[in-house]
Amino acid sequence: MCPAVATAQDNEAEQSADLEQIVVTGSRIARRDESAPSPIMTVGEQFIEDTGQVNVEATMNEMPQFTRDSSGGQGTGGRALLDLRGLGATRNLILLDGRRLPISSSSGVVDTNVLPTSVVRDVEVITGGASAVYGSDAVSGVVNFVTQRGVEGVNVDVQYGNSMENDYASYNASVTAGAVTEKSSLFISVSSARQDALYGKDRFDFFQLGIPSSYIGTGTFVPSATNLPDQAVVDAMFAGYGYGSVPNNNNLGFNDDGSLFSQTGAVNYMGSDESDYRIVNGNVRMPVQIQGMLRPQTDRKNLFARFDYEFSPAVTGYAQALFTDHTAVTNSGGTLTQFGTPTIPVTNPFIPDDLSTLLASRADPTAPFSYNARYVMTPAKSWDENYVTQQYIVGLEGDTGFRDWTFDAWVSWDNSRHNQVQHNAVFLSRVQTLFNAADGGDSICAGGYNPFGLANVLSMSDACQSYISGDTHSTEELQRTAFDVVVQGSLFELPAGDVMFSASANYRNDEYYFSPDKALAEQDVQAVIAAQPSAGSSDVTELAAEFIIPVTDSFEIGTAYRMSDYEYSGTVNAYKLDGLWHATDEIMVRGGYQRAIRAPNINELFSAATGSQVTFGNPPSGGEPCDVRTAARAADTSGELRGLCVAMGIPVETVDNYLFPTTATATLSSGNIELQPETADTYTLGAVWNTEFGSNQTLVLSADYYSIEIEDVISAVPGLTAINKCHNLDGSNPTYSTDNAYCQLLSRDQDGYLELVRTPYFNLGQLATDGMDFQVNYKLSTGAGDFSVHSVITYVNSYEVVTLPGDEGVDEAGTIGFMTTPRPKLRAQTSFGYEKDAMSLTLRWRFTDSMDDRSTLTNTASTVPGVPSYNKFDLVGRYRLTESINLRGGISNLFDKDPLVVAGTPGITDNESYDIVGRSYFVGATMSF
């Protein structure tokens, strides 16, 4: 890891006319040094190998400038995304050799699974915006993967890794071959990588209580607020069991002997408190995280090829192909009766006698009743997410014949096809058919469906399981066509040197198609929110120019301008002005200003009404605000929140005992072709000190300040924000009025349960962050070997979020919360190295600062604990066995550091910030022929 700077020796070497010109990320102008006015971090091939990861995303997310983006979960595709500065994966641009990589979703994000590690020589990261040079999306910066060049011979690389628990194996193998002749070169790499899944049950000690759900395998009767059982009958029944009274609106579960139990308080509960069930805070719950995958299973096959041919000394043609077949398997546990609750008629033959007694005591004894459960008799719902991604590029590059001007012109075609299969989907219509059948469904499938009690549920026949469940198939496809041409060289000479320039023109067209399964579109799939077909296309034409102007021998100014004409957003401009000053041979000062843009992507423009979920966690620290167990209701001494809950639809008869049954609800978002591009102002100022101490010590220090301010942020109204603001958790609705704009986004069902939050896309708020990046690179050569220290440190001074127009900004820096992005103020990655002859050792230390709980931002009296600082150490060794065989191996999480508990809730952590795998190892070998 090192900043992109020029050493004193490099500066001397610049005097040689034979020194090859290079292009530093952040500019399209080739030059004879690696000096850059923008902060650039370079991650080398050895660092990538030393992490032991099977994809480059995991490697890059070790760096403190990146925020980890979850790649697993319920049908999320296992994408490997990069997120610079925590501003979102849509706001950084991912390139391969300076060209855009194929997008993997309608949101325009790049799945770095398309990149085999075998072809990556190094990675250059420019932080702080680069839209004027590269176009839309480069708001927080650019990540440019640089491929191998001039490969000759055959290189074979193999690697195996696993956890010390032997439950998280990974495999990676590649073959790279190349040949170079007088006029041509050919480079081909094929690779295969697999990462096994990590299941919650494999980390039972930590996750045994993770996300306790009220949807349980025994099933529960959900009383209707407008048709409750008679309280006297309920009292008499539980007195007969030997217990006191329970409220008549409590969910009542079914013991295997036909008796009832109160889920709240676990009154008369006869089940066991083992593996699948827990008494959590006195209530019967079924923890979710031990049911499914914590990390997805992934299988990936990559092909990369490039062919160059010199047609003449002035013109070279090239062709490049990238092909990836990537499948991720995700699993989120048992299906539950959510997003379409089944009802059971009172004529169902399986209803136990005690439940019949209660049903008969209702005001309307013949009305069907609602039933909540987790379908534990069917296998857990899982998804196969298969991506086939292709990119083909053909181009010409060479000399124009005018002065020293060179050109590069190419056309590219990308295609990403995503086939999603949900296995073991439970169909509401089929379940309802069995419930409504006079014989309980026995005439439809053997035994029918008896949902009352765990033993009855688990005895469901294979025929009935097959009847109510099956697979769904959905497809989305993205296609991009692009034309680019770049000319660069010198314009004229000034006393201090040549004025260098580049000019470019490009055109891009993106097309998107999504076709969901019919059952999914009709909301017939339990626990998965409906999605509708959608399609759209958008194009952009751009012109850009860039100049480097030498003012003196030691000072230069850079400027760039880009005009982009979008089909729907119209014409927008991006520009920059920066400077680079070599104050001495050892000290360089750099800084600049950039105006960056991000145009709305296809999803934001065209998506049909698309369902998702908003998770608000468990009471008391989380939960649906009207739930009587929440801190909000406990603090409602005036009764104003209670009154709002009634006005929003919770029956007054049940509001004082209202319990929300789970930790999430549905959201519905849709596209908006009236959106305008986001605009960002980025400022950087820094310095680099590059020096030597004697003949055996080198030191490079860099410090850079950054500030990024984004206006007209495109976002769906955050579901959790709408819920909190409607219920005045942050003071947004002080009159507790149902006319509040956020309350208008919420819908409750007839029993008062929060069933939907509408989250439309608009140009809403603002994002602003500022901080400092530091890099240290030190090397000492002695007779005993070479010692080195490489450190990258990021300090976030502020991360201010203005969610909606008129809102006060909230500074999230230094906070973390359940299901929210962590914002540590300080993160660091430091490597201590030792190298002697054929052997090297590296101790890598990753530090994450302590954080307060996010709830403290809106409630200064919050008692929810934060997290302490976190330190993780890895040890890596390398040995050159022969000139053609190199061995490597390492131990990750050397001291087996446990993940930290988030929000003070057992079983809850941030799976991306803290190591949930535990101590693990890898071994690998590279062989050259």
Side-chain angles (χ1 to χ4, degrees):
M1 300 175 293
C2 63
V5 297
T7 65
Q9 289 85 350
D10 290 332
N11 291 333
E12 294 170 2
E14 283 182 31
Q15 306 306 316
S16 170
D18 295 329
L19 188 63
E20 180 185 1
Q21 290 191 330
I22 61 173
V23 175
V24 177
T25 299
S27 172
R28 292 192 182 273
I29 299 176
R31 49 195 296 169
R32 290 196 172 106
D33 65 66
E34 294 185 8
S35 298
S38 297
I40 294 181
M41 176 185 68
T42 301
V43 177
E45 180 181 5
Q46 180 171 325
F47 180 84
I48 295 172
E49 290 181 349
D50 284 352
T51 63
Q53 303 289 347
V54 298
N55 62 56
V56 293
E57 169 261 354
T59 297
M60 299 309 299
N61 280 332
E62 293 284 321
M63 309 310 299
Q65 293 95 333
F66 290 87
T67 296
R68 290 172 177 260
D69 196 302
S70 178
S71 58
Q74 179 168 301
T76 55
R79 294 185 179 98
L81 308 180
L82 297 178
D83 180 1
L84 264 172
R85 305 289 187 207
L87 292 171
T90 60
R91 295 189 179 95
N92 45 217
L93 188 58
I94 313 299
L95 307 175
L96 182 66
D97 292 328
R99 299 178 179 89
R100 290 175 180 250
L101 279 164
I103 56 176
S104 69
S105 78
S106 59
S107 296
V109 295
V110 171
D111 181 2
T112 58
N113 282 307
V114 302
L115 285 173
T117 56
S118 57
V119 307
V120 177
R121 186 190 71 199
D122 53 44
V123 188
E124 296 172 342
V125 182
I126 176 171
T127 57
S131 281
V133 175
Y134 293 109
S136 182
D137 305 329
V139 172
S140 59
V142 172
V143 181
N144 184 29
F145 293 92
V146 182
T147 59
Q148 307 281 358
R149 283 290 187 268
V151 176
E152 294 189 85
V154 178
N155 186 82
V156 178
D157 188 276
V158 292
Q159 181 176 293
Y160 171 79
N162 208 334
S163 69
M164 291 300 184
E165 301 290 332
N166 198 36
D167 56 10
Y168 192 52
S170 63
Y171 316 82
N172 195 9
S174 66
V175 178
T176 302
V180 178
T181 68
E182 182 179 352
K183 285 185 170 291
S184 65
S185 65
L186 176 64
F187 168 37
I188 299 176
S189 179
V190 293
S191 62
S192 177
R194 174 187 169 92
Q195 177 71 71
D196 285 352
L198 180 68
Y199 288 86
K201 61 182 175 58
D202 295 331
R203 297 295 180 270
F204 180 79
D205 288 345
F206 186 89
F207 291 105
Q208 61 176 302
L209 298 178
I211 311 181
S213 170
S214 62
Y215 289 85
I216 58 179
T218 63
T220 60
F221 157 57
V222 183
S224 168
T226 57
N227 193 27
L228 294 171
D230 187 279
Q231 183 65 57
V233 176
V234 175
D235 291 345
M237 183 166 294
F238 276 85
Y241 299 151
Y243 295 93
S245 175
V246 300
N248 64 347
N249 67 336
N250 277 8
N251 284 16
L252 301 179
F254 315 107
N255 292 311
D256 287 341
D257 65 357
S259 65
L260 307 180
F261 67 85
S262 175
Q263 190 176 22
T264 301
V267 181
N268 197 42
Y269 176 62
M270 298 180 185
S272 63
D273 188 22
E274 298 176 356
S275 65
D276 290 341
Y277 297 92
R278 283 290 182 276
I279 306 298
V280 181
N281 297 326
N283 305 312
V284 183
R285 294 291 182 262
M286 196 170 188
V288 173
Q289 287 190 286
I290 58 174
Q291 299 179 35
M293 293 177 180
L294 301 172
R295 290 279 191 269
Q297 173 187 309
T298 60
D299 289 277
R300 187 180 74 241
K301 296 176 178 60
N302 297 87
L303 167 67
F304 178 85
R306 180 176 172 110
F307 177 67
D308 293 77
Y309 184 80
E310 183 181 294
F311 291 106
S312 73
V315 179
T316 298
Y318 58 88
Q320 182 174 297
L322 175 70
F323 179 88
T324 300
D325 188 325
H326 168 237
T327 299
V329 179
T330 60
N331 175 325
S332 61
T335 297
L336 52 153
T337 54
Q338 190 182 31
F339 311 133
T341 303
T343 59
I344 302 176
V346 294
T347 55
N348 186 283
F350 297 121
I351 296 175
D353 292 340
D354 287 0
L355 178 58
S356 291
T357 300
L358 292 189
L359 295 174
S361 72
R362 298 175 300 164
D364 182 0
T366 63
F369 60 91
S370 296
Y371 166 80
N372 274 358
R374 191 171 294 270
Y375 295 99
V376 294
M377 66 288 195
T378 62
K381 59 183 182 293
S382 65
W383 285 263
D384 284 350
E385 311 269 0
N386 176 251
Y387 293 88
V388 176
T389 304
Q390 306 171 71
Q391 182 181 66
Y392 303 100
I393 300 173
V394 293
L396 293 172
E397 62 183 1
D399 297 328
T400 64
F402 179 75
R403 295 174 61 90
D404 59 350
W405 291 16
T406 63
F407 73 93
D408 188 1
W410 70 91
V411 58
S412 64
W413 181 81
D414 307 345
N415 182 270
S416 295
R417 186 176 180 85
H418 173 206
N419 297 305
Q420 182 190 75
V421 180
Q422 181 188 345
H423 300 294
N424 309 310
V426 176
F427 302 115
L428 173 62
S429 60
R430 299 290 186 91
V431 171
Q432 195 64 62
T433 296
L434 295 183
F435 283 163
N436 289 343
D439 58 358
D442 182 52
S443 58
I444 299 172
C445 57
Y449 183 7
N450 184 343
F452 303 105
L454 187 59
N456 291 323
V457 170
L458 293 177
S459 66
M460 175 183 270
S461 68
D462 292 344
C464 281
Q465 289 184 45
S466 297
Y467 177 77
I468 67 169
S469 64
D471 293 347
T472 65
H473 300 264
S474 301
T475 301
E476 67 176 343
E477 185 169 2
L478 300 106
Q479 187 167 292
R480 168 176 286 173
T481 305
F483 305 89
D484 289 79
V485 59
V486 179
V487 177
Q488 68 91 37
S490 62
L491 283 176
F492 52 86
E493 186 177 3
L494 294 177
D498 288 336
V499 174
M500 306 296 294
F501 90 103
S502 76
S504 63
N506 64 276
Y507 169 83
R508 291 192 310 277
N509 176 262
D510 292 339
E511 298 179 36
Y512 175 73
Y513 311 92
F514 173 60
S515 176
D517 191 279
K518 181 174 181 291
L520 182 60
E522 295 175 352
Q523 190 59 86
D524 195 32
V525 180
Q526 293 269 260
V528 179
I529 302 165
Q532 302 303 317
S534 60
S537 66
S538 178
D539 61 38
V540 58
T541 302
E542 299 180 293
L543 298 173
E546 180 185 3
F547 303 90
I548 296 177
I549 305 168
V551 180
T552 69
D553 291 341
S554 60
F555 177 62
E556 67 180 40
I557 293 175
T559 185
Y561 172 79
R562 174 176 293 267
M563 181 190 70
S564 304
D565 183 16
Y566 288 92
E567 181 177 356
Y568 290 94
S569 303
T571 301
V572 292
N573 304 303
Y575 40 87
K576 75 165 187 172
L577 178 67
D578 53 36
L580 184 68
W581 177 40
H582 289 277
T584 69
D585 288 342
E586 296 180 340
I587 298 176
M588 181 181 74
V589 180
R590 59 193 179 190
Y593 161 77
Q594 299 203 36
R595 163 59 64 92
I597 62 166
R598 184 182 80 83
N601 55 52
I602 290 179
N603 180 63
E604 294 161 343
L605 289 170
F606 301 113
S607 65
T610 304
S612 185
Q613 290 192 69
V614 55
T615 302
F616 34 70
N618 292 289
S621 58
E624 203 265 89
C626 289
D627 191 311
V628 295
R629 299 166 296 175
T630 63
R633 283 295 299 270
D636 183 35
T637 56
S638 65
E640 291 178 298
L641 176 57
R642 178 186 183 276
L644 175 62
C645 295
V646 172
M648 291 287 291
I650 298 178
V652 69
E653 300 92 339
T654 62
V655 69
D656 293 325
N657 297 298
Y658 173 77
L659 306 175
F660 194 77
T662 187
T663 61
T665 194
T667 64
L668 195 66
S669 62
S670 55
N672 178 2
I673 63 172
E674 300 299 324
L675 292 171
Q676 296 301 307
E678 299 176 348
T679 59
D681 293 312
T682 299
Y683 303 86
T684 60
L685 179 63
V688 180
W689 181 36
N690 187 334
T691 190
E692 296 182 353
F693 300 96
S695 60
N696 66 337
Q697 295 184 72
T698 60
L699 175 66
V700 180
L701 300 177
S702 70
D704 290 280
Y705 170 79
Y706 68 88
S707 172
I708 304 173
E709 301 175 0
I710 308 174
E711 300 282 345
D712 298 320
V713 169
I714 300 170
S715 65
V717 177
L720 186 59
T721 297
I723 294 170
N724 290 343
K725 287 181 175 294
C726 169
H727 295 93
N728 198 41
L729 299 193
D730 64 352
S732 295
N733 188 12
T735 63
Y736 292 88
S737 169
T738 57
D739 294 330
N740 177 274
Y742 306 108
C743 293
Q744 297 297 306
L745 300 175
L746 312 184
S747 297
R748 295 181 179 271
D749 65 16
Q750 62 181 5
D751 293 316
Y753 291 111
L754 183 61
E755 64 176 357
L756 181 66
V757 183
R758 284 173 290 279
T759 57
Y761 282 109
F762 291 112
N763 291 98
L764 293 173
Q766 303 168 27
L767 283 175
T769 183
D770 75 304
M772 293 286 295
D773 287 333
F774 304 91
Q775 293 192 59
V776 178
N777 292 278
Y778 172 76
K779 185 174 182 180
L780 170 65
S781 299
T782 71
D786 295 338
F787 299 85
S788 63
V789 178
H790 304 289
S791 186
V792 180
I793 304 165
T794 292
Y795 172 75
V796 180
N797 179 57
S798 68
Y799 189 99
E800 187 172 277
V801 179
V802 178
T803 304
L804 297 170
D807 284 358
E808 290 291 328
V810 177
D811 186 359
E812 296 183 354
T815 65
I816 189 173
F818 175 62
M819 297 297 290
T820 63
T821 302
R823 313 278 185 204
K825 277 186 169 285
L826 186 65
R827 290 185 66 204
Q829 168 76 262
T830 303
S831 297
F832 304 92
Y834 171 74
E835 185 173 355
K836 174 67 173 176
D837 299 327
M839 181 270 294
S840 68
L841 286 173
T842 301
L843 178 67
R844 190 168 59 245
W845 168 34
R846 184 161 66 93
F847 171 82
T848 303
D849 203 3
S850 60
M851 288 174 274
D852 296 329
D853 189 79
R854 190 67 52 84
S855 62
T856 60
L857 297 179
T858 55
N859 179 12
T860 56
S862 173
T863 59
V864 181
V867 295
S869 59
Y870 185 79
N871 297 277
K872 177 175 171 284
F873 293 87
D874 307 326
L875 182 64
V876 180
R878 306 173 70 92
Y879 185 74
R880 188 174 67 254
L881 187 63
T882 69
E883 288 298 321
S884 60
I885 300 177
N886 290 276
L887 308 178
R888 64 182 183 274
I891 299 175
S892 180
N893 198 351
L894 184 63
F895 302 111
D896 203 19
K897 177 74 172 178
D898 289 334
L900 301 182
V901 173
V902 173
T905 306
I908 300 298
T909 190
D910 188 277
N911 290 4
E912 303 303 325
S913 295
Y914 307 119
D915 190 343
I916 61 175
V917 177
R919 186 184 293 120
S920 58
Y921 67 91
F922 75 91
V923 291
T926 301
M927 293 155 282
S928 301
F929 306 96

